[in-house]
Amino acid sequence: MIPDYQTLMLPVLRLAAEGETRVADVAERIADDLGLAPAEREELLPSGRQRLLHNRIHWAKFYMSKAGLIASPARGRFVATEKGKALLAKAPERIDVALLMHEPEFREFYRNESTAAEPDATGAKPADTASPRTTPEEQIDAAHAALQAALRDELLQRILANSPVFFEQLIVDLLVAMGYGGSHKDAAAQLGRSGDGGVDGIVNEDRLGLDRIYVQAKRYAPGNPVGRPDVNGFVGSLVGLGATKGVFVTTSTFSQPARDYVRHLAQRVILIDGQELADLMTEHGVGVRSYRTVEFKRLDEDFFGEE
């Protein structure tokens, strides 16, 4: 298990005391010392933009630099300062934010960081409630995931509260937003023209209509999964039509036998459950709109390079 960034402060400072180093080198040494498995070494933040271990080491280094324990003599490199080596000489059992608060420069930095954000409706500031075990990126990703989960549930509730016709139109809007169906008018004309057993509609895969995707949509309540018989009926319709591609969409879930069944078919059948449907709607802007955009900046190392 990867330690939190505060637990990593002491081993990071010890390695920095050996001489100039880089985050990647420190990560490799710490991973070896902890016996981390290959999957743990490569584990990414939820955003997928950085390895978790590297991110936590970066923030451990950053906070210690604000306390004067670490310096950065060159781009991408860091080393322990005399103050950092003096602290190690005292053989501390742990270095964390509480210990760093003994340094006046860190207290000033941390006070400014904690008061930079405005209070929310309850009067609490983000720094008041943030977990000391997580880095700022992890806190952002966790908040984003919580908001996405809430939006997903709300989308599915609203879909179920509307009519089956609304659901069919939603599928049209989504397929067009994803680039299928040619024009919106063509897609709308194709979907809903059913009557072929388990097929609810036909959508052109491309604007020229060189290939077609057959669609089945079931608006089921949560806890009522689509089973293998329903999927089997849809596949039977595909076979009867000589079709090779199908998409089965539901607001509920698919049973495991249903999922296992489509894995070994000659036809390419994609199962989209309620969670994936909501995620696709969010990704392609169907039934949702942006209400707040937060942009984060990173230091441009190239700007400050003097080579």
Side-chain angles (χ1 to χ4, degrees):
M1 180 179 177
I2 299 175
D4 63 81
Y5 77 95
Q6 293 192 75
T7 302
L8 287 169
M9 286 183 180
L10 181 56
V12 167
L13 185 59
R14 284 172 175 163
L15 291 173
E18 296 178 3
E20 284 189 26
T21 186
R22 302 178 306 142
V23 168
D25 298 330
V26 169
E28 187 173 354
R29 289 277 301 274
I30 290 177
D32 289 341
D33 292 342
L34 294 175
L36 296 181
E40 292 175 307
R41 296 169 188 247
E42 299 300 322
E43 183 179 352
L44 298 175
L45 291 166
S47 64
R49 297 182 181 274
Q50 189 180 23
R51 276 175 280 189
L52 180 60
L53 178 59
H54 286 218
N55 179 260
R56 290 182 177 177
I57 289 172
H58 164 78
W59 283 101
K61 169 183 74 73
F62 175 74
Y63 279 130
M64 287 191 292
S65 72
K66 291 301 180 182
L69 305 181
I70 279 179
S72 298
R75 174 179 173 178
R77 305 188 71 82
F78 62 96
V79 67
T81 62
E82 291 304 316
K83 182 187 288 188
K85 292 178 181 178
L87 176 59
L88 289 175
K90 298 178 181 178
E93 294 183 0
R94 175 181 171 86
I95 299 177
D96 53 23
V97 169
L99 181 63
L100 299 184
M101 290 292 280
H102 293 296
E103 301 295 335
E105 58 265 50
F106 183 80
R107 280 202 307 273
E108 180 65 17
F109 157 76
Y110 203 72
R111 181 182 68 81
N112 292 336
E113 182 187 56
S114 299
T115 57
E118 295 183 359
D120 61 16
T122 65
K125 301 181 182 68
D128 296 335
T129 56
S131 168
R133 297 178 57 84
T134 56
T135 68
E137 277 95 345
E138 291 177 272
Q139 294 165 24
I140 291 168
D141 287 342
H144 180 262
L147 289 171
Q148 288 295 98
L151 175 59
R152 185 185 302 127
D153 289 343
E154 190 173 5
L155 280 170
L156 293 175
Q157 289 174 12
R158 295 299 294 271
I159 291 171
L160 290 171
N162 279 277
S163 67
V165 173
F166 175 88
F167 183 43
E168 288 185 359
Q169 185 60 49
L170 183 156
I171 300 301
V172 170
D173 293 340
L174 178 59
L175 289 171
V176 171
M178 294 175 68
Y180 299 110
S183 69
H184 196 284
K185 179 180 178 182
D186 292 339
Q190 294 288 354
L191 196 66
R193 193 187 69 183
S194 61
D196 295 309
V199 174
D200 282 342
I202 308 166
V203 175
N204 291 333
E205 187 173 9
D206 54 81
R207 290 186 178 274
L208 296 178
L210 295 175
D211 205 352
R212 290 178 167 183
I213 299 173
Y214 290 76
V215 181
Q216 168 80 323
K218 285 195 179 293
R219 197 174 58 110
Y220 282 2
N224 185 20
V226 175
R228 173 168 171 168
D230 287 319
V231 177
N232 187 64
F234 178 55
V235 173
S237 298
L238 296 183
V239 173
L241 293 166
T244 59
K245 299 176 182 178
V247 176
F248 200 127
V249 187
T250 183
T251 51
S252 181
T253 59
F254 292 94
S255 68
Q256 193 57 50
R259 292 190 176 278
D260 293 339
Y261 171 63
V262 300
R263 288 176 184 167
H264 308 291
L265 294 172
Q267 294 78 13
R268 180 66 171 163
V269 176
I270 303 299
L271 304 181
I272 299 178
D273 61 17
Q275 177 173 321
E276 189 174 359
L277 172 62
D279 288 342
L280 287 171
M281 290 174 64
T282 302
E283 179 183 350
H284 295 281
V286 177
V288 299
R289 66 176 63 181
S290 297
Y291 79 99
R292 184 178 182 184
T293 301
V294 181
E295 183 179 26
F296 297 94
K297 304 286 188 180
R298 286 189 183 275
L299 184 71
D300 184 354
E301 294 283 5
D302 293 333
F303 177 84
F304 294 97
E306 294 185 330
E307 292 87 353

